[in-house]
Amino acid sequence: MSDPRILILGAPGAGKGTQSKRLCEEYDIEHITTGDALRANKQMETEYGTPAEYMDAGELVPDPLVNEIVAAALEDADGFVLDGYPRNESQVEYLEDATDLDVVLYLDVDEEELVRRLTGRRVCPECGASYHVDFNPPEEEGVCDECGSELVQRDDDTEETVRERLKTYEENTEDVIEHYRGTDEFVQIDGEQSPDEVWADVKDAVDAQAE
Ligand code: AP5
Ligand code: MG
Ligand code: ZN
């Protein structure tokens, strides 16, 4: 099979990052994630201001900044998993001009579960691994299993910003899900199962589409 080109969709906290990491290891593909790229450049001054002004308010960063990140990353990748993009109709159009996709995964999770997951999340600033204080704890509290770094909470994982992010998702990104739902590449996955169960469905979906 040639390197799969995967799009992973889902609300904030649905498990996109968690599953993307496993996809990259399993298929040896690139993780293209606008959220991580923006976090690495949060204080960068642009004509629209800094990404931080939007991210910490739970709003979308302006399309031109985000499209540029994706265009550059796609140029360097054969296979990839695209996580956090597209988030509105104009980004969908941009992506459709830039590349084809082999499989579109949608992780379906209820709103209250999303809030619990996001407010309890801890992330590794070094390797990007994602944990949860109750649902997916590291072996040693506050320490990354993979690389031993100290875990941190994301600035936008406070309950107030989480509610804003979910509102932004409803207003902008639910239409993106509907855009892909009718296509042959679309596979909906029950994202409320355990991480291992979700992974089993994700892998089955990718293997089936790539056959
Ligand atoms: P981004 O970083 O993309 O955040 P998000 O979409 O809000 O998604 P998250 O990363 O919070 O959730 P996830 O689905 O990756 O979940 P995870 O696997 O970590 O974007 C951040 C900001 O950047 C945006 O608000 C916006 O401002 C800006 N931005 C980004 N892209 C943009 C774009 N295209 N256009 C404009 N602006 C953009 O899991 C969450 C938690 O749940 C973890 O604790 C994890 O351990 C746990 N968990 C995972 N799976 C399970 C499971 N199966 N059961 C129980 N717990 C689980
Ligand atoms: Mg993520
Ligand atoms: Zn780590």
Side-chain angles (χ1 to χ4, degrees):
M1 137 167 91
S2 64
D3 291 348
R5 294 164 297 182
I6 303 166
L7 172 60
I8 191 159
L9 298 168
K16 302 182 297 295
T18 301
Q19 299 298 327
S20 291
K21 199 159 190 300
R22 299 175 87 151
L23 284 165
C24 291
E25 285 159 12
E26 178 76 21
Y27 298 101
D28 194 19
I29 52 179
E30 297 290 321
H31 188 195
I32 303 179
T33 162
T34 47
D36 286 359
L38 290 166
R39 266 185 293 283
N41 295 284
K42 253 184 111 172
Q43 303 305 336
M44 187 178 65
E45 289 292 346
T46 76
E47 59 181 295
Y48 308 96
T50 63
E53 291 166 33
Y54 302 91
M55 298 172 80
D56 292 345
E59 292 166 8
L60 295 186
V61 173
D63 292 338
L65 295 181
V66 181
N67 289 341
E68 204 179 312
I69 293 172
V70 171
L74 284 174
E75 261 187 33
D76 293 338
D78 283 331
F80 57 81
V81 50
L82 182 55
D83 159 8
Y85 182 99
R87 275 170 135 96
N88 60 28
E89 278 299 323
S90 115
Q91 294 181 12
V92 168
E93 283 171 28
Y94 190 90
L95 179 63
E96 288 188 340
D97 285 340
T99 186
D100 291 329
L101 299 166
D102 298 309
V103 52
V104 177
L105 306 169
Y106 167 50
L107 304 180
D108 184 28
V109 176
D110 245 31
E111 173 154 350
E112 281 316 305
E113 171 73 9
L114 296 170
V115 174
R116 280 193 292 274
R117 286 189 187 181
L118 291 170
T119 52
R121 171 166 56 188
R122 299 295 181 270
V123 294
C124 175
E126 284 306 316
C127 75
S130 186
Y131 301 88
H132 189 283
V133 290
D134 301 317
F135 308 146
N136 185 22
E139 272 167 39
E140 187 185 339
E141 194 184 323
V143 178
C144 181
D145 290 344
E146 314 237 338
C147 74
S149 301
E150 197 175 325
L151 302 177
V152 299
Q153 183 165 30
R154 257 169 59 173
D155 295 341
D156 61 349
D157 278 346
T158 60
E159 172 136 14
E160 193 192 350
T161 307
V162 163
R163 298 274 176 199
E164 288 305 319
R165 286 162 61 198
L166 292 171
K167 215 166 90 194
T168 300
Y169 173 79
E170 274 167 36
E171 286 168 5
N172 297 275
T173 313
E174 280 183 355
D175 285 347
V176 172
I177 313 296
E178 293 317 307
H179 174 94
Y180 287 104
R181 188 183 291 280
T183 65
D184 292 343
E185 293 78 25
F186 187 87
V187 183
Q188 178 158 329
I189 287 167
D190 176 2
E192 294 200 12
Q193 309 173 87
S194 72
D196 286 345
E197 288 166 334
V198 175
W199 169 243
D201 286 357
V202 163
K203 190 174 178 318
D204 281 351
V206 173
D207 290 342
Q209 291 285 0
E211 263 169 17

